[in-house]
Amino acid sequence: MMGNVIYLEGQPEHTALSMSNGLTDTLISALLLNGSQLAKTDQEKRLIVWLAEKDQSAVGMGTVGFSVLDMPWDRNTLEQNRSFLRRTVEQAKMRRGWELLDYQPSEELLLPSLEKFLFLIAQLKQADIQPDCLDAWLAEAAENDPVRCGFPRCPKHHTLLTVFGCQICNHELFR
Ligand SMILES: [Zn+2]
């Protein structure tokens, strides 16, 4: 099946964010551009890198759906990180950074998708966060993974890199 779904367990089905492959790339790019700008702590940077790893040019089209519960949360900083992502989405909705994309995102698709993503994040409960999800993800990262070596950035987009490179550069090369 083509497309990706972002969801949260236990929420009504209509809250799931079901997107085409193209819209998924655009959503991730919009979060990446703004989150990279706003992230100050390592934990904020990690959340953005994790999202940017949902890079379909690198891992395959239609294979990047996820539950927001699987993001590498830290129970101790959930509230700060939720508010960081709220600011990231709000800035993305103001079309910040869109000029760095080599195409014009569809506002009527992207804006409601950002809103739905935010809604899912808002429903997360601290008690549901798996205590080891952050450590497990970090343990999987190789020594030269950007999350373990100072969070390098793309010189062109100023975005945080992943083990696959820059999600936006990869998208440009792929098309
Ligand atoms: Zn780039």
Side-chain angles (χ1 to χ4, degrees):
M1 202 190 98
M2 294 301 271
N4 302 286
V5 182
I6 302 176
Y7 62 96
L8 176 60
E9 290 87 346
Q11 294 294 315
E13 207 169 315
H14 70 85
T15 64
L17 172 50
S18 182
M19 297 174 289
S20 69
N21 294 337
L23 179 58
T24 308
D25 272 344
T26 306
L27 178 96
I28 296 295
S29 295
L31 294 171
L32 174 60
L33 282 164
N34 288 287
S36 295
Q37 241 190 35
L38 291 171
K40 294 208 165 55
T41 67
D42 282 0
Q43 175 58 10
E44 290 168 349
K45 291 174 188 169
R46 285 182 197 125
L47 288 165
I48 295 302
V49 171
W50 189 91
L51 288 168
E53 285 179 349
K54 306 299 172 193
D55 182 341
Q56 297 183 97
S57 325
V59 300
M61 305 304 281
T63 66
V64 300
F66 62 90
S67 161
V68 294
L69 198 53
D70 293 335
M71 292 172 65
W73 302 105
D74 177 343
R75 272 190 187 182
N76 303 316
T77 58
L78 176 63
E79 287 317 319
Q80 291 102 291
N81 295 160
R82 205 199 306 264
S83 115
F84 158 69
L85 286 172
R86 188 180 309 120
R87 283 180 282 123
T88 297
V89 166
E90 276 163 9
Q91 200 168 291
K93 283 172 67 186
M94 294 189 302
R95 299 162 186 79
R96 294 254 183 94
W98 292 22
E99 71 280 359
L100 290 170
L101 299 172
D102 70 344
Y103 60 95
Q104 181 65 45
S106 159
E107 296 188 12
E108 55 278 26
L109 294 175
L110 181 55
L111 296 180
S113 301
L114 285 164
E115 200 58 54
K116 282 189 105 167
F117 177 71
L118 198 53
F119 176 84
L120 291 171
I121 301 283
Q123 306 313 305
L124 272 174
K125 292 184 181 59
Q126 195 181 33
D128 293 334
I129 305 292
Q130 299 302 306
D132 61 346
C133 66
L134 173 59
D135 290 341
W137 177 63
L138 287 176
E140 271 177 37
E143 246 170 68
N144 61 347
D145 190 299
V147 294
R148 296 180 90 177
C149 55
F151 298 101
R153 288 170 185 263
C154 169
K156 185 175 173 193
H157 299 108
H158 313 295
T159 41
L160 292 163
L161 300 179
T162 74
V163 66
F164 308 122
C166 168
Q167 186 259 358
I168 298 170
C169 285
N170 288 347
H171 180 88
E172 289 176 2
L173 290 170
F174 195 74
R175 286 186 311 154

